[in-house]
Amino acid sequence: MAPKNVPITVAHGDGIGPEIMEATLHILKEAGAALDIETIEIGEKVYLAGNSAGIEPGAFDSLRRTKVFLKAPITTPQGGGYKSLNVTVRKTFGLYANVRPSVSYYPFIKTKHPTMNVVIVRENEEDVYGGIEYRQTDQVTQCLKLISRPGTERIVRYAFEYARRNNRKKVTCFTKDNIMKITDGLFHKIFTEIAARYPDIENEHWIVDIGAAKMSDTPEAFDVIVLPNLYGDVLSDVAAQIAGSVGLAGSANIGDSIAMFEAIHGSAPRRAGQNVANPSGLLLGAIMMLVHIGQTDAAERVHNAWLRTIEEGIHTYDIYVEGVSQQKVGTREFAAAVGQRIGQKPETLKAISYNADADSQSTGHSSTATAERANKETIGVDVYLDWTKGTPDELGAAMQQLNGDGLRLTAISNRGVKVYPGGHSETFCSDHWRCRFTADTDGGTTTHARIAALLARTAAAGFDFIKTENLCNFDGQPGYSHAQE
Amino acid sequence: MAPKNVPITVAHGDGIGPEIMEATLHILKEAGAALDIETIEIGEKVYLAGNSAGIEPGAFDSLRRTKVFLKAPITTPQGGGYKSLNVTVRKTFGLYANVRPSVSYYPFIKTKHPTMNVVIVRENEEDVYGGIEYRQTDQVTQCLKLISRPGTERIVRYAFEYARRNNRKKVTCFTKDNIMKITDGLFHKIFTEIAARYPDIENEHWIVDIGAAKMSDTPEAFDVIVLPNLYGDVLSDVAAQIAGSVGLAGSANIGDSIAMFEAIHGSAPRRAGQNVANPSGLLLGAIMMLVHIGQTDAAERVHNAWLRTIEEGIHTYDIYVEGVSQQKVGTREFAAAVGQRIGQKPETLKAISYNADADSQSTGHSSTATAERANKETIGVDVYLDWTKGTPDELGAAMQQLNGDGLRLTAISNRGVKVYPGGHSETFCSDHWRCRFTADTDGGTTTHARIAALLARTAAAGFDFIKTENLCNFDGQPGYSHAQE
């Protein structure tokens, strides 16, 4: 029985976009993908018509209707005021997962890592990418790194669901939780919790520095890697580069409401209209889309026909190498060659199979069990000061005068190093001080009104407090780190 | 004229430590290094004698006296309560720079990157490594990333001074300042300021994801790379690994008061006492020490003799490869071979030269010009809430009731995305909300007393405020980011 047509939204983009989209859609049709296509306009023309995001409000209606977006590369005009279309779509629809397979196709494409086949699943919304930053003193600037339980649960669950649907055997997690015990510790903890629900898939955790070194040298040791936003940003670029296939890589951005599929390369305006561009990156993005909407048979047919074309040496100019390639072809001829090979499998490269039984479009959010609310007790506050008037001991003596109402100064630190009481004379102190006040009695709690009153005393004493952070216990466990001594 | 003896502190460490230190000191002596050695005890015995940091208070006196520490690897006993000796020394003495050369010795040592010769200069105290973390709500955890002007000035200046002293031609900076405009933006800005004072040295900046990809694939494109702590942590491990020379790498940790030199590998207890260990990592650390104390002639003699020994195929077991190596030797025999080659230069590998005229022991701190104090105005405050009771619009309506005293609610965001006024219905909201209050009048300022009063009203209205961040202008420039829409 033929599958029911699935509506998708398609944008042909700028530069080489229209050509590679045409090639991609030709191949999808040849493979029997069952799609109802809605076309929208995005990119350069829309920007220049005065829309700062490069996408018209009406186009959002199509995305909300189809929930699936196949997007060609676009050109963002030079000059100020234009916002990234991808950031706009990601923020608007909460696209929390960025999925980037990096595969080497040795001996048909040059690479130092012949057996590499890694998929990076990057958390896409949190970490330092909220862009929440403050300059606080003359000397010190701050960025907030946020890691949340629901944000982490859905990215980790997505990674395991992806592994299952794509017949992957292992999911690896990278964090730096030996240093960041609370934030990266939460990511690692949730990884362990969720991994336990997927006994058919191997799991492991590496500290990110050692893991990154291993991946850069021996990428064949990894299969799917799930990681927080910043590590994922850096390592997905490393993986694509060392695979030797930046021009051949597709990418998915997954949200609860919609998902977007594209090539990782740009619109290459100088190559536009010449029938030379390689449509493979967009095609591999489209294959991820077919798997996402449950059309795994069509995905398999396209993927294997493409692999067969690559290994027969039918190559566009960008991957053509004398002695390795057999025939240099244009965009349309490449698409025709892949279309003619629908139903064939590669002979040297490994044929692809997708798992039709896996839960298609499972995004991991709605069905994730979030823990019950913990019992939260506020037991103190860190008051940060901009201060340049003396030594740690002098500051300690002055701040102790502000004790009262059950709150007492217990320590001062500077850039994470404890300097009062009992610091080291060699410690370099910036103008950015943290004064920790805790409830007088062991195990006691304080109130928000008392914290506000402490700040009022701090202001009255003439101190420039620049920020506060409450100290809380959750179910009796401290929710704050101690200064390093 | 023979140089005046320089006092240094030496620790022989655990496992293979004593053997490789003996080998290293033998070679330094043969090369005519002018050293007065004080020996201290650190490591396993000291830990087990009840000292939680693995170093006795008396040993610190030796470090304070000599200011130069050549350290063999140590063994930290298993089990709780033992603190990292390196972290203790780094925190105590403010060792702000970690310097790690990664070099390939092709064709004598196996590597995928035959012409690699990169030095990573990693900032070692700031960024997310202050370990300043908070769990703030049921769902959300936070780590502070701090980047300071003096911390950045001294690491960048150190990188340029290092380049000059070691005859390096280019210093590259990696940041993510397209996203973190305030923190990474400060690092990049200071890099540009300081680079201008070194017209003899080329400089460039890369966004860290693209730079990391380039370095992993084409490390020969880089010379010295200076970068914030986290990027440096990850990329120094990547560089060491892909050079194929983790066992051959030395490292320096530089502070204003003292500097520490070591191998990057561990104490390998299973190899101890067998005269098999490779002393090269520690020896290369010792060469960095000789350059640091201005004995560049001795450093050159040792370095070139070592290169000559490597290319003659006189190899310890760990780098011995049939067909490439000529002779498998033990630790003592290797040291003797290097010692016999003092005065010789390599023939295939490039000979080393150090710049004797450069300012030795310049650490870049005291002579760094810090900008004058800016004119700082506090113009509002971000009040963060733990809140689960409804929609962004409901929260907005409730928080507006707290306006007063010249402060007015202007926006609410969740995980960096603006949700009030005028958010998108698809935005997933955690229990972690930022409410931005700013001074009523355009360009107006507020006071610390008014911020404390706003918090008192917030407490009285029953809200769980979890943190605050003041909004300040510095010389009229906003010191805070805006939420992404």
Side-chain angles (χ1 to χ4, degrees), chain A residues 133-294:
Chain A
E133 293 188 284
Y134 303 92
R135 178 177 173 188
Q136 304 188 306
T137 68
D138 260 348
Q139 297 181 340
V140 178
T141 61
Q142 172 193 274
C143 178
L144 302 187
K145 166 175 170 157
L146 300 179
I147 301 282
S148 83
R149 173 168 275 277
T152 305
E153 280 177 347
R154 59 185 182 174
I155 189 70
V156 173
R157 189 157 187 273
Y158 183 83
F160 278 96
E161 288 294 324
Y162 177 92
R164 194 175 266 177
R165 206 173 326 132
N166 289 270
N167 277 320
R168 298 270 175 173
K169 306 305 177 200
K170 184 170 76 171
V171 179
T172 303
C173 175
F174 286 177
T175 74
K176 187 77 191 177
D177 68 339
N178 55 336
I179 298 291
M180 284 166 274
K181 296 187 168 77
I182 294 180
T183 49
D184 281 19
L186 179 65
F187 199 100
H188 186 177
K189 178 168 178 270
I190 291 171
F191 175 78
T192 306
E193 287 170 16
I194 290 177
R197 296 183 220 159
Y198 294 83
D200 51 320
I201 297 170
E202 194 186 338
N203 70 82
E204 62 179 7
H205 173 269
W206 292 65
I207 298 294
V208 62
D209 47 346
I210 303 166
K214 180 81 175 174
M215 193 199 79
S216 307
D217 194 49
T218 321
E220 58 273 22
F222 298 102
D223 191 346
V224 175
I225 306 178
V226 63
L227 62 193
N229 205 339
L230 176 64
Y231 313 142
D233 184 12
V234 174
L235 295 184
S236 62
D237 272 14
V238 169
Q241 182 81 37
I242 68 172
S245 59
V246 171
L248 306 181
S251 157
N253 284 278
I254 308 289
D256 281 335
S257 50
I258 83 152
M260 175 171 81
F261 302 88
E262 60 185 339
I264 73 171
H265 62 72
S267 63
R270 287 185 310 161
R271 303 284 180 189
Q274 299 164 42
N275 188 42
V276 295
N278 188 342
S280 298
L282 183 59
L283 183 67
L284 289 165
I287 293 169
M288 297 171 80
M289 176 190 77
L290 292 176
V291 177
H292 179 78
I293 62 177

Side-chain angles (χ1 to χ4, degrees), chain A residues 93 104 161-162 256 273 280 313 373 381 410 421 423 432 453 471 481-482:
Chain A
F93 294 107
S104 55
E161 288 294 324
Y162 177 92
D256 281 335
S280 298
R373 275 186 84 76
V381 63
T410 52
H432 188 271
L471 304 173
S481 55
H482 290 278

Side-chain angles (χ1 to χ4, degrees), chain B residues 55-76:
Chain B
I55 179 167
E56 287 171 4
F60 279 105
D61 297 337
S62 173
L63 297 180
R64 287 195 170 97
R65 200 160 43 234
T66 69
K67 306 187 194 315
V68 181
F69 186 17
L70 181 62
K71 172 182 163 285
I74 62 160
T75 305
T76 307

